[in-house]
Amino acid sequence: MRILEFSGGAQFPMSILNAACHKVTRPMGYDNIRVWRRDFEIACSLWKKHYIDETRKQHRQEDVITMYLEPNRDDRDYLYGRLLALADNFEESVLRKQGVEDRPTNAIKLMSNFTAKPYTTWGTLWKQLTPYLKSANGGSWFCNEVDDVMALFKEGDFEDNKALSPMFLLGYSCQRRAS
């Protein structure tokens, strides 16, 4: 794959960034989950570059985005992305143990709704994970990870049901790779 470079430090047009985000937050529109995962990581990389460029322009070193999971980052959208990735990883691991592979998880199926209304969709997703929690003997590692992420939300942020920004892509991607 060729990397696009712009001369003179020009940034990617917002229309490209927004289109990439819009496309990958609708994974059920893909025929192949592996292709979706590849496209997701490309979109994530584009947005990561955008956030890094913006941070540099504003000389805010404390907000620099890294390539790795930031376990103490308390940005609402980043945290919601982490929660979705935890749910995705957990269900995928249970399905793999059951011999089911290449089936989209509930987290993937609900991603479009999740980006639009994260608080209410998280409640729906949690209910759908209940049978998997039972088959994994409570999934204590998963519940502990979710609790750790939930503890990072600032007061009122978790209950805020407004749409997520593309920052959630980074939280999702970093958490998936770290788990």
Side-chain angles (χ1 to χ4, degrees), residues 19-108:
C21 182
H22 181 78
K23 177 145 177 77
V24 299
T25 57
R26 283 140 183 83
M28 298 313 295
Y30 283 80
D31 293 332
N32 184 318
I33 198 73
R34 289 187 178 115
V35 172
W36 170 76
R37 289 205 190 280
R38 182 205 62 204
D39 287 358
F40 189 94
E41 289 303 322
I42 291 168
C44 186
S45 296
L46 292 172
W47 274 98
K48 192 174 297 180
K49 181 190 179 329
H50 170 77
Y51 285 128
I52 288 170
D53 289 347
E54 287 298 308
T55 301
R56 284 186 184 146
K57 275 188 356 187
Q58 297 173 8
H59 305 292
R60 293 185 335 231
Q61 291 303 320
E62 69 278 357
D63 290 337
V64 172
I65 302 293
T66 68
M67 299 288 285
Y68 306 101
L69 179 65
E70 297 179 58
N72 296 318
R73 189 176 200 77
D74 63 359
D75 178 87
R76 170 189 170 268
D77 299 345
Y78 186 86
L79 293 174
Y80 263 121
R82 287 186 63 193
L83 287 176
L84 190 65
L86 286 169
D88 186 25
N89 283 342
F90 173 69
E91 184 178 348
E92 190 175 70
S93 72
V94 171
L95 290 172
R96 199 175 314 113
K97 287 178 186 171
Q98 295 174 350
V100 178
E101 296 195 28
D102 288 337
R103 173 182 123 5
T105 63
N106 287 301
I108 297 300

Coordinates of all heavy atoms in Angstrom, one line a residue, residues 19-108:
A19 N -15.2 10.9 5.7 CA -15.7 9.8 4.9 C -15.1 8.5 5.3 O -15.8 7.5 5.4 CB -15.4 10.0 3.4
A20 N -13.9 8.5 5.7 CA -13.2 7.3 6.2 C -13.8 6.8 7.5 O -14.1 5.7 7.7 CB -11.7 7.5 6.3
C21 N -14.1 7.8 8.4 CA -14.7 7.5 9.7 C -16.1 6.9 9.5 O -16.5 5.9 10.0 CB -14.7 8.7 10.6 SG -15.4 8.4 12.2
H22 N -16.9 7.6 8.6 CA -18.3 7.2 8.4 C -18.3 5.8 7.8 O -19.1 5.0 8.2 CB -18.9 8.2 7.4 CG -20.3 7.9 7.1 ND1 -21.4 8.2 7.9 CD2 -20.9 7.3 6.0 CE1 -22.5 7.8 7.4 NE2 -22.2 7.2 6.2
K23 N -17.4 5.5 6.9 CA -17.5 4.1 6.3 C -17.1 3.0 7.3 O -17.8 2.0 7.3 CB -16.5 4.1 5.1 CG -16.4 2.7 4.4 CD -16.2 2.8 3.0 CE -16.0 1.5 2.3 NZ -17.2 0.8 2.1
V24 N -16.1 3.2 8.1 CA -15.7 2.1 8.9 C -16.5 2.0 10.2 O -16.5 1.0 10.9 CB -14.2 2.2 9.3 CG1 -13.3 2.1 8.1 CG2 -13.9 3.4 10.2
T25 N -17.3 3.0 10.5 CA -18.3 2.8 11.6 C -19.5 2.1 11.2 O -20.4 2.0 12.0 CB -18.6 4.2 12.3 OG1 -19.2 5.0 11.3 CG2 -17.4 4.8 12.9
R26 N -19.6 1.6 10.0 CA -20.7 0.8 9.5 C -20.1 -0.6 9.0 O -20.2 -0.9 7.8 CB -21.4 1.5 8.4 CG -22.3 2.6 9.0 CD -22.3 3.8 8.2 NE -23.2 4.9 8.8 CZ -22.7 5.6 9.8 NH1 -21.5 5.5 10.3 NH2 -23.5 6.6 10.4
P27 N -19.6 -1.4 9.9 CA -18.9 -2.6 9.5 C -19.8 -3.6 8.9 O -19.4 -4.5 8.1 CB -18.3 -3.2 10.8 CG -19.0 -2.5 11.9 CD -19.5 -1.2 11.4
M28 N -21.1 -3.6 9.1 CA -22.0 -4.5 8.5 C -22.2 -4.3 7.0 O -22.8 -5.1 6.3 CB -23.4 -4.6 9.3 CG -23.2 -5.0 10.8 SD -22.2 -6.4 11.0 CE -23.1 -7.7 10.2
G29 N -21.7 -3.2 6.6 CA -21.8 -2.9 5.1 C -20.7 -3.6 4.4 O -20.6 -3.5 3.1
Y30 N -19.8 -4.3 5.1 CA -18.7 -5.0 4.4 C -19.1 -6.5 4.3 O -19.8 -7.0 5.2 CB -17.4 -4.9 5.3 CG -16.7 -3.6 5.2 CD1 -17.1 -2.5 5.9 CD2 -15.5 -3.5 4.5 CE1 -16.4 -1.3 5.9 CE2 -14.8 -2.3 4.4 CZ -15.3 -1.2 5.1 OH -14.6 -0.1 5.0
D31 N -18.6 -7.1 3.2 CA -18.8 -8.5 3.0 C -17.8 -9.4 3.8 O -18.1 -10.5 4.1 CB -18.7 -8.9 1.5 CG -19.8 -8.3 0.7 OD1 -20.9 -8.1 1.3 OD2 -19.6 -8.0 -0.5
N32 N -16.7 -8.8 4.1 CA -15.6 -9.5 4.8 C -15.1 -8.7 6.0 O -14.6 -7.6 5.9 CB -14.5 -9.7 3.8 CG -13.3 -10.6 4.3 OD1 -12.9 -10.4 5.4 ND2 -12.8 -11.4 3.4
I33 N -15.1 -9.3 7.2 CA -14.7 -8.7 8.4 C -13.3 -8.3 8.4 O -12.8 -7.3 9.0 CB -15.2 -9.5 9.6 CG1 -15.2 -8.6 10.9 CG2 -14.3 -10.7 9.8 CD1 -16.3 -7.7 11.0
R34 N -12.5 -9.1 7.7 CA -11.0 -8.9 7.7 C -10.7 -7.6 6.9 O -9.8 -6.8 7.2 CB -10.3 -10.1 7.1 CG -10.2 -11.2 8.1 CD -9.3 -12.3 7.6 NE -9.3 -13.4 8.5 CZ -9.8 -14.6 8.3 NH1 -10.3 -14.9 7.2 NH2 -9.7 -15.5 9.3
V35 N -11.5 -7.4 5.8 CA -11.3 -6.2 5.0 C -11.7 -5.0 5.8 O -11.1 -3.9 5.8 CB -12.1 -6.3 3.7 CG1 -12.1 -5.0 2.9 CG2 -11.6 -7.4 2.8
W36 N -12.8 -5.1 6.5 CA -13.3 -4.0 7.4 C -12.2 -3.7 8.4 O -11.9 -2.5 8.6 CB -14.6 -4.4 8.1 CG -14.9 -3.4 9.2 CD1 -15.4 -2.1 9.0 CD2 -14.6 -3.5 10.6 NE1 -15.5 -1.5 10.2 CE2 -15.0 -2.3 11.2 CE3 -14.1 -4.5 11.4 CZ2 -14.9 -2.0 12.5 CZ3 -14.0 -4.3 12.8 CH2 -14.4 -3.0 13.3
R37 N -11.6 -4.7 9.1 CA -10.6 -4.4 10.1 C -9.4 -3.7 9.5 O -8.8 -2.8 10.1 CB -10.1 -5.7 10.7 CG -11.1 -6.3 11.7 CD -10.5 -7.2 12.8 NE -11.5 -7.9 13.5 CZ -12.3 -7.4 14.5 NH1 -12.2 -6.1 14.8 NH2 -13.2 -8.1 15.1
R38 N -9.0 -4.0 8.2 CA -7.9 -3.3 7.6 C -8.3 -1.9 7.3 O -7.5 -1.0 7.6 CB -7.6 -4.0 6.2 CG -6.4 -3.4 5.5 CD -6.5 -3.7 4.0 NE -7.7 -3.1 3.4 CZ -8.3 -3.5 2.3 NH1 -7.8 -4.5 1.6 NH2 -9.4 -2.9 1.9
D39 N -9.5 -1.7 6.8 CA -10.0 -0.3 6.5 C -10.1 0.5 7.8 O -9.8 1.7 7.8 CB -11.3 -0.3 5.8 CG -11.2 -0.8 4.3 OD1 -10.1 -1.0 3.8 OD2 -12.2 -0.9 3.7
F40 N -10.5 -0.2 8.8 CA -10.6 0.5 10.1 C -9.3 1.0 10.6 O -9.2 2.2 11.0 CB -11.2 -0.4 11.2 CG -11.6 0.2 12.5 CD1 -12.9 0.7 12.7 CD2 -10.6 0.5 13.5 CE1 -13.2 1.3 13.9 CE2 -11.0 1.1 14.6 CZ -12.2 1.5 14.8
E41 N -8.3 0.2 10.5 CA -6.9 0.6 10.9 C -6.4 1.8 10.0 O -5.7 2.6 10.5 CB -6.0 -0.6 11.0 CG -6.3 -1.5 12.1 CD -6.2 -0.9 13.5 OE1 -5.4 0.0 13.7 OE2 -7.1 -1.3 14.3
I42 N -6.7 1.7 8.7 CA -6.3 2.8 7.9 C -7.0 4.1 8.3 O -6.3 5.2 8.4 CB -6.6 2.5 6.4 CG1 -5.7 1.4 5.9 CG2 -6.4 3.7 5.5 CD1 -6.0 0.7 4.6
A43 N -8.3 4.1 8.5 CA -9.0 5.3 8.9 C -8.5 5.8 10.3 O -8.3 7.0 10.5 CB -10.5 5.0 9.0
C44 N -8.2 4.8 11.1 CA -7.6 5.2 12.4 C -6.3 5.9 12.3 O -6.0 6.9 12.9 CB -7.5 4.0 13.3 SG -7.0 4.3 15.0
S45 N -5.5 5.4 11.4 CA -4.2 6.1 11.1 C -4.3 7.5 10.6 O -3.6 8.4 10.9 CB -3.3 5.2 10.2 OG -3.0 4.0 10.7
L46 N -5.3 7.6 9.7 CA -5.5 9.0 9.1 C -5.9 9.9 10.2 O -5.4 11.1 10.3 CB -6.6 8.9 8.0 CG -6.3 8.2 6.7 CD1 -7.5 8.0 5.9 CD2 -5.2 8.9 6.0
W47 N -6.8 9.5 11.1 CA -7.3 10.4 12.2 C -6.2 10.6 13.2 O -6.1 11.7 13.7 CB -8.6 9.8 12.8 CG -9.8 10.3 12.0 CD1 -10.5 9.6 11.1 CD2 -10.4 11.6 12.1 NE1 -11.5 10.3 10.6 CE2 -11.5 11.6 11.2 CE3 -10.1 12.7 12.9 CZ2 -12.3 12.7 11.0 CZ3 -10.9 13.8 12.7 CH2 -12.0 13.8 11.8
K48 N -5.4 9.6 13.4 CA -4.3 9.8 14.4 C -3.4 10.9 13.9 O -2.9 11.8 14.6 CB -3.5 8.5 14.5 CG -2.6 8.5 15.7 CD -1.9 7.1 15.9 CE -3.0 6.1 16.3 NZ -2.6 4.8 16.5
K49 N -3.0 10.8 12.6 CA -2.2 11.9 12.0 C -2.8 13.3 12.1 O -2.2 14.2 12.5 CB -1.9 11.6 10.5 CG -1.0 12.7 9.9 CD -0.9 12.6 8.4 CE 0.0 13.6 7.8 NZ 0.1 14.9 8.4
H50 N -4.1 13.3 11.9 CA -4.9 14.6 12.0 C -4.7 15.1 13.5 O -4.4 16.3 13.7 CB -6.3 14.4 11.7 CG -7.2 15.6 12.0 ND1 -7.2 16.7 11.3 CD2 -8.0 15.8 13.0 CE1 -8.0 17.6 11.8 NE2 -8.5 17.1 12.9
Y51 N -5.0 14.3 14.4 CA -4.9 14.7 15.8 C -3.5 15.1 16.2 O -3.3 16.1 17.0 CB -5.4 13.6 16.8 CG -6.9 13.4 16.8 CD1 -7.5 12.2 16.6 CD2 -7.8 14.5 17.0 CE1 -8.9 12.1 16.6 CE2 -9.1 14.4 17.0 CZ -9.7 13.2 16.8 OH -11.1 13.0 16.8
I52 N -2.5 14.4 15.7 CA -1.1 14.8 16.0 C -0.8 16.1 15.4 O -0.2 17.0 16.1 CB -0.2 13.7 15.5 CG1 -0.3 12.4 16.4 CG2 1.3 14.2 15.5 CD1 0.4 11.2 15.9
D53 N -1.2 16.3 14.2 CA -0.9 17.6 13.5 C -1.6 18.8 14.3 O -1.1 19.8 14.5 CB -1.4 17.6 12.1 CG -0.6 16.7 11.2 OD1 0.5 16.3 11.6 OD2 -1.0 16.4 10.0
E54 N -2.9 18.5 14.7 CA -3.6 19.6 15.4 C -2.9 19.9 16.8 O -2.8 21.0 17.2 CB -5.1 19.1 15.7 CG -5.9 19.2 14.5 CD -6.1 20.6 13.9 OE1 -6.4 21.5 14.7 OE2 -5.8 20.8 12.7
T55 N -2.5 18.9 17.5 CA -1.8 19.0 18.7 C -0.5 19.8 18.6 O -0.2 20.7 19.3 CB -1.5 17.7 19.4 OG1 -2.7 17.0 19.6 CG2 -0.8 17.8 20.7
R56 N 0.2 19.5 17.5 CA 1.5 20.3 17.2 C 1.2 21.7 16.9 O 1.9 22.6 17.3 CB 2.2 19.6 16.1 CG 2.9 18.3 16.5 CD 3.8 17.8 15.4 NE 4.4 16.5 15.8 CZ 4.6 15.5 15.0 NH1 4.3 15.6 13.7 NH2 5.1 14.4 15.4
K57 N 0.2 22.0 16.1 CA -0.2 23.4 15.7 C -0.5 24.2 17.0 O -0.2 25.4 17.0 CB -1.4 23.4 14.8 CG -0.9 23.2 13.3 CD -2.0 23.4 12.3 CE -3.4 23.6 12.7 NZ -4.4 23.6 11.6
Q58 N -1.1 23.5 17.9 CA -1.6 24.3 19.1 C -0.5 24.2 20.3 O -0.8 24.7 21.4 CB -2.9 23.7 19.6 CG -4.0 24.0 18.5 CD -5.3 23.3 18.9 OE1 -5.5 22.8 20.0 NE2 -6.2 23.3 17.9
H59 N 0.6 23.5 20.0 CA 1.7 23.4 21.0 C 1.2 22.8 22.3 O 1.5 23.3 23.4 CB 2.3 24.8 21.2 CG 2.8 25.4 20.0 ND1 3.9 24.9 19.3 CD2 2.4 26.5 19.3 CE1 4.1 25.6 18.2 NE2 3.2 26.6 18.2
R60 N 0.4 21.8 22.2 CA -0.2 21.1 23.4 C 0.5 19.7 23.5 O 0.0 18.7 23.1 CB -1.7 20.9 23.3 CG -2.5 22.2 23.4 CD -4.0 21.9 23.4 NE -4.3 20.6 22.8 CZ -5.2 20.4 21.9 NH1 -5.9 21.4 21.4 NH2 -5.5 19.2 21.4
Q61 N 1.6 19.7 24.2 CA 2.3 18.4 24.3 C 1.6 17.4 25.2 O 1.7 16.2 25.0 CB 3.7 18.6 24.9 CG 4.7 19.3 24.0 CD 4.8 18.6 22.6 OE1 4.9 17.4 22.6 NE2 4.8 19.3 21.5
E62 N 0.8 17.8 26.1 CA 0.1 16.9 27.1 C -1.0 16.1 26.4 O -1.4 15.1 26.8 CB -0.5 17.7 28.3 CG -1.7 18.6 27.9 CD -1.3 20.0 27.4 OE1 -0.1 20.3 27.3 OE2 -2.3 20.7 27.1
D63 N -1.5 16.6 25.2 CA -2.5 15.9 24.5 C -2.1 15.0 23.3 O -2.9 14.6 22.5 CB -3.5 16.9 23.9 CG -4.4 17.6 25.0 OD1 -4.5 17.0 26.1 OD2 -4.8 18.7 24.8
V64 N -0.8 14.8 23.2 CA -0.2 14.1 22.1 C -0.8 12.7 22.1 O -0.8 12.0 23.1 CB 1.3 14.0 22.2 CG1 1.9 13.1 21.1 CG2 1.9 15.4 22.0
I65 N -1.2 12.2 20.9 CA -1.8 10.9 20.7 C -0.6 9.9 20.4 O 0.3 10.3 19.7 CB -2.7 10.9 19.5 CG1 -3.8 11.9 19.7 CG2 -3.2 9.5 19.2 CD1 -4.8 11.5 20.7
T66 N -0.6 8.8 21.1 CA 0.4 7.8 20.8 C -0.1 6.6 20.0 O -1.3 6.5 19.8 CB 1.0 7.3 22.2 OG1 0.0 6.5 22.8 CG2 1.4 8.4 23.1
M67 N 0.8 5.7 19.7 CA 0.4 4.5 18.9 C -0.1 3.4 19.8 O -0.5 2.4 19.4 CB 1.6 4.1 18.1 CG 2.1 5.0 17.1 SD 0.9 5.2 15.7 CE 1.2 3.7 14.8
Y68 N 0.1 3.6 21.1 CA -0.1 2.6 22.1 C -1.3 2.9 23.0 O -1.6 4.1 23.2 CB 1.1 2.3 22.9 CG 2.3 2.0 22.1 CD1 3.3 3.0 21.8 CD2 2.5 0.8 21.4 CE1 4.3 2.8 21.0 CE2 3.5 0.5 20.6 CZ 4.5 1.5 20.4 OH 5.5 1.3 19.6
L69 N -1.9 1.9 23.7 CA -3.0 2.2 24.6 C -2.5 3.1 25.7 O -1.4 2.9 26.3 CB -3.4 0.8 25.2 CG -4.5 0.9 26.2 CD1 -5.8 1.4 25.6 CD2 -4.8 -0.4 26.9
E70 N -3.3 4.1 26.0 CA -3.0 5.1 27.0 C -4.0 4.7 28.2 O -5.1 5.2 28.2 CB -3.2 6.5 26.6 CG -2.2 6.8 25.5 CD -2.4 8.3 25.0 OE1 -2.3 9.2 25.8 OE2 -2.6 8.4 23.8
P71 N -3.6 3.9 29.1 CA -4.5 3.4 30.1 C -5.1 4.5 31.1 O -6.1 4.3 31.7 CB -3.7 2.4 30.9 CG -2.3 2.7 30.6 CD -2.3 3.4 29.3
N72 N -4.5 5.7 31.1 CA -5.1 6.7 32.0 C -5.7 7.9 31.2 O -6.2 8.9 31.8 CB -3.9 7.3 32.8 CG -3.4 6.2 33.8 OD1 -4.2 5.5 34.4 ND2 -2.1 6.2 33.9
R73 N -5.8 7.8 29.9 CA -6.5 8.8 29.1 C -7.9 8.9 29.4 O -8.6 7.8 29.4 CB -6.2 8.6 27.6 CG -6.7 9.7 26.7 CD -6.3 9.4 25.3 NE -6.3 10.6 24.4 CZ -5.3 11.5 24.4 NH1 -4.3 11.3 25.1 NH2 -5.4 12.5 23.6
D74 N -8.5 10.0 29.7 CA -9.8 10.1 30.2 C -10.8 10.8 29.2 O -11.9 11.3 29.6 CB -9.9 10.7 31.6 CG -9.4 12.2 31.6 OD1 -9.0 12.7 30.6 OD2 -9.5 12.8 32.7
D75 N -10.4 10.9 28.0 CA -11.3 11.5 27.0 C -12.5 10.5 26.8 O -12.4 9.3 26.6 CB -10.5 11.6 25.6 CG -11.3 12.1 24.5 OD1 -11.4 13.3 24.4 OD2 -11.9 11.3 23.8
R76 N -13.7 11.1 26.9 CA -14.9 10.3 26.8 C -15.0 9.4 25.6 O -15.3 8.2 25.6 CB -16.1 11.3 26.8 CG -17.5 10.6 26.5 CD -18.5 11.7 26.3 NE -19.8 11.2 25.7 CZ -20.0 11.0 24.4 NH1 -19.2 11.5 23.5 NH2 -21.2 10.5 24.1
D77 N -14.7 10.0 24.4 CA -14.8 9.2 23.2 C -13.7 8.1 23.1 O -14.0 7.0 22.6 CB -14.7 10.1 22.0 CG -15.8 11.2 21.9 OD1 -16.8 11.0 22.7 OD2 -15.7 12.1 21.2
Y78 N -12.5 8.4 23.6 CA -11.5 7.4 23.6 C -11.9 6.2 24.5 O -11.7 5.0 24.2 CB -10.2 8.0 24.1 CG -9.0 7.2 24.1 CD1 -8.2 7.1 23.0 CD2 -8.6 6.5 25.3 CE1 -7.0 6.3 23.0 CE2 -7.4 5.7 25.2 CZ -6.6 5.6 24.1 OH -5.5 4.9 24.1
L79 N -12.5 6.6 25.7 CA -12.9 5.5 26.7 C -14.1 4.7 26.1 O -14.1 3.5 26.3 CB -13.3 6.2 28.0 CG -12.2 6.9 28.8 CD1 -12.8 7.6 30.0 CD2 -11.2 5.9 29.2
Y80 N -15.0 5.3 25.4 CA -16.1 4.5 24.8 C -15.5 3.6 23.7 O -16.0 2.5 23.6 CB -17.2 5.4 24.2 CG -18.3 5.6 25.1 CD1 -18.7 6.9 25.6 CD2 -19.1 4.5 25.6 CE1 -19.8 7.1 26.4 CE2 -20.2 4.7 26.4 CZ -20.5 6.0 26.8 OH -21.6 6.1 27.6
G81 N -14.5 4.0 23.0 CA -13.8 3.2 22.0 C -13.2 2.0 22.7 O -13.3 0.8 22.2
R82 N -12.6 2.2 23.9 CA -12.0 1.1 24.6 C -13.0 0.1 25.1 O -12.8 -1.1 25.0 CB -11.2 1.7 25.8 CG -9.9 2.4 25.5 CD -9.1 2.8 26.7 NE -8.7 1.6 27.4 CZ -8.3 1.6 28.7 NH1 -8.1 2.8 29.3 NH2 -7.9 0.5 29.3
L83 N -14.2 0.6 25.6 CA -15.2 -0.3 26.0 C -15.7 -1.2 24.9 O -15.9 -2.4 25.1 CB -16.4 0.5 26.6 CG -16.2 1.1 28.0 CD1 -17.4 2.0 28.4 CD2 -15.9 0.1 29.0
L84 N -15.9 -0.6 23.7 CA -16.4 -1.3 22.6 C -15.4 -2.4 22.2 O -15.7 -3.5 21.9 CB -16.7 -0.4 21.4 CG -17.4 -1.1 20.2 CD1 -18.8 -1.5 20.6 CD2 -17.5 -0.1 19.0
A85 N -14.1 -2.1 22.2 CA -13.0 -3.0 21.9 C -13.0 -4.2 22.9 O -12.8 -5.3 22.5 CB -11.7 -2.3 21.8
L86 N -13.1 -3.8 24.2 CA -13.2 -4.9 25.2 C -14.3 -5.9 25.0 O -14.1 -7.1 25.1 CB -13.3 -4.3 26.6 CG -12.0 -3.6 27.1 CD1 -12.3 -2.8 28.4 CD2 -10.9 -4.6 27.4
A87 N -15.5 -5.3 24.7 CA -16.6 -6.2 24.4 C -16.4 -7.0 23.2 O -16.7 -8.2 23.2 CB -17.9 -5.3 24.2
D88 N -15.8 -6.4 22.1 CA -15.5 -7.2 20.9 C -14.5 -8.3 21.2 O -14.7 -9.4 20.8 CB -15.0 -6.2 19.9 CG -14.7 -6.8 18.5 OD1 -15.4 -7.8 18.2 OD2 -13.9 -6.2 17.7
N89 N -13.4 -8.0 21.9 CA -12.4 -9.0 22.2 C -12.9 -10.1 23.0 O -12.6 -11.3 22.8 CB -11.2 -8.3 22.9 CG -10.3 -7.5 22.0 OD1 -10.3 -7.7 20.8 ND2 -9.5 -6.7 22.5
F90 N -13.7 -9.7 24.0 CA -14.3 -10.7 24.9 C -15.2 -11.7 24.2 O -15.0 -12.9 24.3 CB -15.0 -10.1 26.1 CG -15.8 -11.0 26.9 CD1 -15.1 -11.9 27.8 CD2 -17.1 -11.1 26.9 CE1 -15.7 -12.8 28.6 CE2 -17.8 -12.0 27.7 CZ -17.1 -12.9 28.6
E91 N -16.1 -11.2 23.4 CA -17.1 -12.1 22.7 C -16.3 -12.9 21.7 O -16.6 -14.1 21.5 CB -18.2 -11.2 22.1 CG -19.2 -12.1 21.4 CD -20.3 -11.3 20.7 OE1 -20.5 -10.1 21.0 OE2 -21.1 -12.0 20.0
E92 N -15.4 -12.3 21.0 CA -14.6 -13.0 20.0 C -13.8 -14.2 20.6 O -13.8 -15.3 20.1 CB -13.6 -12.0 19.3 CG -12.9 -12.6 18.1 CD -12.1 -11.5 17.5 OE1 -11.0 -11.1 18.0 OE2 -12.5 -11.1 16.3
S93 N -13.3 -14.0 21.8 CA -12.5 -15.0 22.5 C -13.4 -16.2 22.9 O -13.1 -17.4 22.8 CB -11.7 -14.5 23.7 OG -12.6 -14.2 24.8
V94 N -14.6 -15.9 23.4 CA -15.6 -16.9 23.8 C -16.1 -17.7 22.5 O -16.1 -18.9 22.5 CB -16.8 -16.3 24.5 CG1 -17.9 -17.3 24.7 CG2 -16.4 -15.7 25.8
L95 N -16.3 -16.9 21.5 CA -16.7 -17.6 20.2 C -15.6 -18.5 19.7 O -15.9 -19.6 19.2 CB -17.1 -16.6 19.1 CG -18.4 -15.8 19.4 CD1 -18.6 -14.7 18.4 CD2 -19.6 -16.7 19.4
R96 N -14.4 -18.1 19.8 CA -13.3 -18.9 19.3 C -13.2 -20.2 20.1 O -12.9 -21.2 19.5 CB -12.0 -18.1 19.4 CG -10.8 -18.6 18.6 CD -9.6 -17.8 18.6 NE -9.8 -16.3 18.4 CZ -9.6 -15.4 19.4 NH1 -9.1 -15.8 20.6 NH2 -9.8 -14.2 19.2
K97 N -13.4 -20.1 21.4 CA -13.4 -21.3 22.3 C -14.5 -22.2 21.9 O -14.4 -23.4 22.1 CB -13.4 -20.9 23.7 CG -12.1 -20.3 24.3 CD -12.3 -19.9 25.7 CE -11.0 -19.2 26.1 NZ -11.1 -18.6 27.5
Q98 N -15.6 -21.7 21.4 CA -16.7 -22.5 21.0 C -16.6 -23.0 19.5 O -17.5 -23.7 19.0 CB -18.0 -21.7 21.1 CG -18.4 -21.3 22.5 CD -19.6 -20.4 22.6 OE1 -20.1 -19.8 21.6 NE2 -20.1 -20.1 23.8
G99 N -15.5 -22.6 18.9 CA -15.2 -23.1 17.5 C -15.9 -22.3 16.5 O -16.0 -22.7 15.3
V100 N -16.4 -21.1 16.8 CA -17.0 -20.2 15.9 C -16.1 -19.1 15.5 O -15.6 -18.4 16.4 CB -18.3 -19.6 16.5 CG1 -19.0 -18.6 15.5 CG2 -19.3 -20.6 16.9
E101 N -15.7 -19.0 14.2 CA -14.8 -17.9 13.8 C -15.4 -17.2 12.6 O -16.3 -17.7 11.9 CB -13.5 -18.6 13.4 CG -12.8 -19.2 14.6 CD -11.3 -19.5 14.4 OE1 -10.7 -18.8 13.6 OE2 -10.9 -20.4 15.1
D102 N -14.9 -16.0 12.4 CA -15.3 -15.1 11.3 C -16.8 -14.8 11.3 O -17.4 -14.6 10.3 CB -15.0 -15.8 9.9 CG -13.5 -15.7 9.6 OD1 -12.8 -14.9 10.2 OD2 -13.0 -16.5 8.9
R103 N -17.3 -14.7 12.5 CA -18.7 -14.2 12.7 C -18.6 -12.9 13.4 O -17.9 -12.7 14.4 CB -19.5 -15.2 13.6 CG -20.9 -14.6 14.0 CD -21.6 -15.6 14.9 NE -22.1 -15.3 16.1 CZ -22.2 -14.2 16.9 NH1 -21.7 -13.1 16.4 NH2 -22.7 -14.2 18.0
P104 N -19.3 -11.8 12.9 CA -19.2 -10.5 13.6 C -19.7 -10.6 15.0 O -20.8 -11.2 15.2 CB -20.0 -9.6 12.7 CG -20.5 -10.4 11.6 CD -20.1 -11.8 11.8
T105 N -19.1 -10.0 15.9 CA -19.5 -9.9 17.3 C -20.7 -8.9 17.4 O -20.9 -8.1 16.5 CB -18.4 -9.5 18.2 OG1 -18.0 -8.2 17.9 CG2 -17.2 -10.5 18.2
N106 N -21.4 -9.0 18.5 CA -22.4 -8.0 18.8 C -21.8 -6.6 18.8 O -22.5 -5.6 18.4 CB -23.1 -8.3 20.1 CG -24.0 -9.5 20.0 OD1 -24.9 -9.5 19.1 ND2 -23.8 -10.5 20.8
A107 N -20.6 -6.4 19.3 CA -20.0 -5.1 19.3 C -19.8 -4.5 17.9 O -20.1 -3.4 17.6 CB -18.6 -5.2 20.0
I108 N -19.4 -5.4 17.0 CA -19.3 -5.0 15.6 C -20.7 -4.7 15.0 O -20.8 -3.7 14.3 CB -18.6 -6.1 14.8 CG1 -17.2 -6.4 15.3 CG2 -18.6 -5.8 13.3 CD1 -16.2 -5.2 15.2

